[in-house]
Amino acid sequence: MKLGFTFDEKILDKIKFQDLIFKAKKTNISNIEISPDKNVLPIDTYVEISSYCKKLNIDVNFHIPYFAHDYLYEIMNFKEYKKDLIKKYEEFLCIVENIQNKTCNIPIIVIHGAKYINPEKFNEGMYNTLIFLDWILNFIEKKNISVKLALETLSKNTERTIGDIRKDVIEIIKKFKSNLLGICWDISHDSTNYYPGKVPFDDEFYKHIFYCHIHGVNIAKSISHISIQKSTIDFSKSINHLKQNKFEGIINLELLIKFCGKSYLDDLFNDINYLQNIL
């Protein structure tokens, strides 16, 4: 199992990216996850970050930067804003390809399913998810871009999302039968959906996982993306299941400054050390 962490751009107000990544490398971090968009940082900065990672033998993976635009990354809009949305994703994939050419690894892009307002709109959400995935998989193959997609498991909220139920993710993976598409198991989102019950360990689900997210969850405050050592939910059984089944993919710490506050850096490196000791 390889360990990575999400690069939160807000941290650049407190520390240089070189210092952060070098410190992470000393803890044997092997991957980082970035969400490049020109509305967040200059693209050249993401290229510099990635080039520095390459120098330190750290692989770079990606997450769709949903926070960077109001609606053009949201695939629930694929049918209505198809032309504009495709242009946005083509721009994103161009950035990914340019970075990938420098880092040389085959990165994973984490992606969310379509949102839908209520259960009655489920079929619309699934349709948008399927037609978008069909487009992006064809685009990647046609352009020969060396990436893989990981459809993320999400938490159930008032506004639902395709992917907040495991069976929907499995159905999508089976429908495409593509070696370019797998599951990003967000251990924390998934565990929240089953809380306070036990997380099931179903081989039909786990065999499609090649990437994981993990972060703490505070149930009482309804917040997540905090330190896993400050979490209401204990994830040790899920981590042990991955270990016992010799999971060879990546487990990515997804802490965010927005929720961790001033303790972000301490929380991040404490969690890295904690996971390095049990993986």
Side-chain angles (χ1 to χ4, degrees):
M1 219 180 315
K2 301 172 184 177
L3 185 60
F5 73 97
T6 292
F7 180 82
D8 188 332
E9 293 88 351
K10 293 184 181 69
I11 198 59
L12 295 181
D13 292 336
K14 300 183 180 300
I15 188 172
K16 294 179 180 179
F17 73 77
Q18 294 93 336
D19 295 337
L20 173 65
I21 295 170
F22 184 75
K23 184 177 179 180
K25 177 62 179 178
K26 291 199 293 185
T27 68
N28 293 319
I29 281 288
S30 62
N31 290 262
I32 70 165
E33 180 182 290
I34 63 175
S35 300
D37 187 280
K38 63 184 179 182
N39 290 330
V40 182
L41 289 177
I43 300 305
D44 285 348
T45 302
Y46 290 108
V47 173
E48 289 174 12
I49 290 168
S50 303
S51 297
Y52 189 70
C53 287
K54 171 64 176 176
K55 181 180 177 180
L56 296 182
N57 198 30
I58 294 174
D59 287 336
V60 178
N61 297 296
F62 300 88
H63 196 301
I64 303 297
Y66 297 102
F67 57 89
H69 198 279
D70 289 340
Y71 64 92
L72 282 183
Y73 283 116
E74 296 289 351
I75 64 176
M76 66 180 177
N77 298 317
F78 189 72
K79 184 178 178 182
E80 185 175 0
Y81 298 103
K82 184 175 181 179
K83 184 178 178 180
D84 291 336
L85 195 142
I86 283 177
K87 181 181 178 182
K88 191 68 174 173
Y89 270 90
E90 286 179 345
E91 289 174 357
F92 173 78
L93 289 169
C94 181
I95 296 167
V96 169
E97 185 176 25
N98 288 338
I99 290 173
Q100 189 270 335
N101 287 336
K102 294 181 181 298
T103 60
C104 301
N105 68 305
I106 299 177
I108 292 164
I109 301 174
V110 178
I111 193 163
H112 296 175
K115 294 179 180 178
Y116 58 101
I117 299 170
N118 53 52
E120 289 73 27
K121 295 288 185 178
F122 168 81
N123 288 336
E124 183 179 332
M126 180 60 81
Y127 175 75
N128 280 320
T129 302
L130 292 174
I131 60 172
F132 172 80
L133 288 174
D134 184 62
W135 170 79
I136 196 170
L137 287 169
N138 283 323
F139 183 84
I140 287 169
E141 291 190 272
K142 181 180 176 182
K143 297 291 185 178
N144 197 28
I145 303 174
S146 297
V147 298
K148 292 185 176 181
L149 301 179
L151 185 61
E152 185 174 358
T153 56
L154 300 165
S155 297
K156 291 180 184 176
N157 296 304
T158 304
E159 184 176 45
R160 301 290 300 277
T161 310
I162 299 298
D164 61 16
I165 297 177
R166 281 189 184 187
K167 69 178 182 64
D168 298 337
V169 179
I170 295 172
E171 178 184 329
I172 291 168
I173 300 298
K174 285 183 173 181
K175 190 177 291 287
F176 284 100
K177 297 178 181 177
S178 171
N179 60 7
L180 299 180
L181 180 64
I183 294 173
C184 169
W185 181 33
D186 190 306
I187 297 169
S188 310
H189 292 161
D190 193 48
S191 298
T192 301
N193 290 340
Y194 289 103
Y195 184 83
K198 295 180 180 179
V199 174
F201 297 120
D202 175 12
D203 288 342
E204 185 60 31
F205 174 76
Y206 288 92
K207 71 181 182 182
H208 297 292
I209 297 170
F210 51 55
Y211 194 81
C212 296
H213 278 167
I214 191 167
H215 50 82
V217 177
N218 185 313
I219 298 295
K221 294 182 179 180
S222 297
I223 60 171
S224 62
H225 301 283
I226 60 174
S227 168
I228 57 176
Q229 295 175 86
K230 298 177 181 178
S231 180
T232 304
I233 302 174
D234 179 10
F235 308 115
S236 58
K237 289 184 179 179
S238 295
I239 295 170
N240 283 335
H241 181 78
L242 292 173
K243 286 176 61 177
Q244 290 167 6
N245 286 274
K246 297 181 172 57
F247 177 66
E248 296 180 352
I250 298 161
I251 183 165
N252 183 82
L253 267 166
E254 197 182 21
L255 275 61
L256 298 177
I257 294 173
K258 178 180 178 180
F259 302 106
C260 294
K262 294 179 180 179
S263 66
Y264 171 78
L265 281 174
D266 288 338
D267 289 345
L268 175 64
F269 284 99
N270 286 338
D271 278 3
I272 289 172
N273 290 331
Y274 169 76
L275 287 176
Q276 292 286 19
N277 287 329
I278 64 175
L279 292 179

